[in-house]
Amino acid sequence: MTIQVYSTRQNDSPCDPSSVEDDLDSVLRTSLWPHDPEFHQLACRRIAWWDSERIRTWFLERGYTLYLRYPSEADYAAGMYPLDANIHEGVFPYASHEGPKSDGKSRFPTLYGNTGTRGTIAFAQTTQGQHVAVKAILDGSEEFRVLKYLHNQGVPGSMDDFHHVIPVLDLLACEGHWLAVMPRWGVFPLLPSFSVLIELILTPLTGIDLSPQASHRSRYNILINHVNMDICDLSNYCRWTLRSQGKSTYALHDFDGSTMFPPSMSLDECRLPSSVSYNTLYDQVPGDTLQGELDFNPFAFDVGMLGVMFCQEFQHMTRTVPMLAPLFDRMTTRDIARRFKASEALQFFEEQVIPLTPKHVLSWAAEPIDQYDAYDYYDRWKYLDPDFVEKWAAYREPPVPRHIRILREMCLYPWVFRIVTSIRYGARFLCHGLSILSRILPWK
């Protein structure tokens, strides 16, 4: 075994683990967000907590060896690398690691991993050499409820039993909170070929349909079961080999922005305040809450987000695969009652899109994207056969009405947004009051 240890950061860094005085509660329980000026200092304290000798020993006693911290010129060093960089066979649910080995001249070592800007994630190896990701979870949080549910479901034994949600291998109680252990999979799975499109559509829809009524709002929460050098893996030729061999798969992860509803509640009854929908990437948000709405259906919102993501990546392919037009329109329609549920979108894709797509198209590379057009302004039907358009006219989403566009622009101003929501609240209160009166008063 060849071990290469990189020089550590200087002791005067705010991330210096030798001077850490925090416990997990003091660095995890906070109201700070990444845009807050004080968050950088908090992230450095989190890094120091992970790297402290006390926590490394704690993990060793439980069968895990934390990665080493990769040096950085900045105070905050998000990179980590394993002490044992030998490639181990990726037995499911662990990822494959095929790819070029670092020769010492590469920018990053083999199996380098970036832990993100929040400092709540670290990487480790098991006693068998398998690579895992560890995330610190606040006790009692919605994320903990979701991960506990997934942990109770057990670890799938093969890809045949896999429902495209990253499994939780272990939940470790630590200093009043929890550390969730999951297989370490790879990032940046979006590569626009039609075969990848099929996998990407099946993966998140299957995950949403089978997850425990937990809505999740993040564009970049899809992983692939291959990792070699983290951010450099997008161009790794081994991923194409795995796909051609039918060995690649995808999974949803990171339920930090999730909400878990009681199993007895139907999907149509679930509602959340509209403010919750803003905790995601603006360019992937469907228009459900852009007109001053008071609340929204998070499951319909999730399907809409997936529809927006698919439109951004693949709506230019509707000339090649016309059936994508009705699929994408029904996933993003403004009429929430008509919008596909996850199971309906998956069924439509399997029963309509795949059978009506010529087999030779499945192996085509995606057409190049000249420009990204907003999903609700792009005409996906423009160049399609008139007979096809007429046949599927019921699925076609009409253009955004002018008054809706004006209202969206006006609601960008906070004071206008408050006025609109106040009017909506008053109208809802009035309708609710009239409904009660109609039931208790004897109308003639």
Side-chain angles (χ1 to χ4, degrees), residues 11 57 67 359 422:
N11 290 335
T57 302
Y67 282 20
K359 291 184 178 180
S422 298

Side-chain angles (χ1 to χ4, degrees), residues 186-189 224 226 233-234 236-243:
V187 295
F188 302 120
I224 184 173
H226 171 268
D233 284 338
L234 184 60
N236 191 320
Y237 65 91
C238 292
R239 289 193 173 178
W240 294 102
T241 303
L242 289 172
R243 289 193 184 102

Side-chain angles (χ1 to χ4, degrees), residues 97-378:
H97 304 296
E98 289 84 354
K101 280 193 173 184
S102 176
D103 55 4
K105 300 179 181 179
S106 303
R107 181 180 178 185
F108 300 109
T110 303
L111 293 173
Y112 167 90
N114 187 293
T115 59
T117 59
R118 293 177 179 266
T120 57
I121 295 175
F123 298 121
Q125 282 183 279
T126 66
T127 52
Q128 293 79 30
Q130 302 289 4
H131 297 266
V132 296
V134 185
K135 184 174 184 182
I137 307 295
L138 194 68
D139 183 45
S141 63
E142 289 292 324
E143 184 177 18
F144 172 69
R145 292 179 61 202
V146 174
L147 293 178
K148 184 178 180 180
Y149 175 91
L150 295 176
H151 182 241
N152 291 338
Q153 302 306 301
V155 179
S158 67
M159 290 177 60
D160 296 333
D161 303 324
F162 184 48
H163 295 315
H164 301 290
V165 177
I166 199 74
V168 180
L169 305 175
D170 204 354
L171 279 174
L172 306 174
C174 179
E175 299 180 349
H177 299 286
W178 298 88
L179 298 172
V181 182
M182 296 159 282
R184 184 191 170 194
W185 282 25
V187 295
F188 302 120
L190 295 182
L191 292 176
S193 66
F194 193 78
S195 59
V196 176
L197 167 63
I198 292 177
E199 292 180 89
L200 288 176
I201 287 183
L202 289 178
T203 293
L205 291 183
T206 305
I208 285 180
D209 195 43
L210 296 175
S211 61
Q213 298 210 9
S215 65
H216 33 84
R217 288 165 294 281
S218 176
R219 178 177 183 178
Y220 300 105
N221 65 345
I222 300 177
L223 299 175
I224 184 173
N225 62 332
H226 171 268
V227 61
N228 176 263
M229 211 172 290
D230 199 71
I231 56 178
C232 303
D233 284 338
L234 184 60
S235 58
N236 191 320
Y237 65 91
C238 292
R239 289 193 173 178
W240 294 102
T241 303
L242 289 172
R243 289 193 184 102
S244 65
Q245 296 174 347
K247 296 180 180 180
S248 66
T249 188
Y250 297 85
L252 293 172
H253 81 112
D254 191 3
F255 292 86
D256 189 19
S258 302
T259 303
M260 192 169 181
F261 294 91
S264 59
M265 185 179 293
S266 71
L267 300 185
D268 294 328
E269 295 175 329
C270 299
R271 311 294 295 181
L272 288 174
S274 60
S275 58
V276 178
S277 69
Y278 309 143
N279 298 329
T280 187
L281 299 178
Y282 182 79
D283 64 347
Q284 198 190 347
V285 174
D288 300 10
T289 58
L290 300 182
Q291 297 79 217
E293 284 80 1
L294 299 176
D295 52 29
F296 70 105
N297 183 311
F299 292 94
F301 190 85
D302 278 348
V303 173
M305 286 190 68
L306 282 173
V308 174
M309 181 181 72
F310 293 149
C311 286
Q312 291 172 340
E313 299 291 338
F314 306 111
Q315 65 184 0
H316 63 289
M317 292 179 61
T318 52
R319 284 193 243 180
T320 305
V321 189
M323 287 305 301
L324 293 180
L327 173 64
F328 291 168
D329 274 30
R330 189 54 67 90
M331 290 181 68
T332 59
T333 177
R334 296 185 302 278
D335 187 347
I336 307 300
R338 295 176 63 244
R339 183 178 295 173
F340 275 150
K341 293 181 172 61
S343 57
E344 294 170 342
L346 180 60
Q347 182 180 5
F348 186 90
F349 185 79
E350 293 177 328
E351 296 180 359
Q352 300 292 340
V353 179
I354 293 180
L356 296 179
T357 301
K359 291 184 178 180
H360 69 278
V361 174
L362 300 180
S363 60
W364 284 6
E367 302 161 6
I369 302 176
D370 296 328
Q371 61 181 12
Y372 289 93
D373 296 295
Y375 80 97
D376 50 355
Y377 290 94
Y378 182 86

Side-chain angles (χ1 to χ4, degrees), residues 23-44:
D23 60 11
L24 184 56
D25 184 76
S26 64
V27 294
L28 195 58
R29 190 184 299 277
T30 177
S31 59
L32 292 176
W33 291 87
H35 61 269
D36 294 324
E38 301 87 357
F39 187 84
H40 173 77
Q41 188 69 26
L42 173 65
C44 287

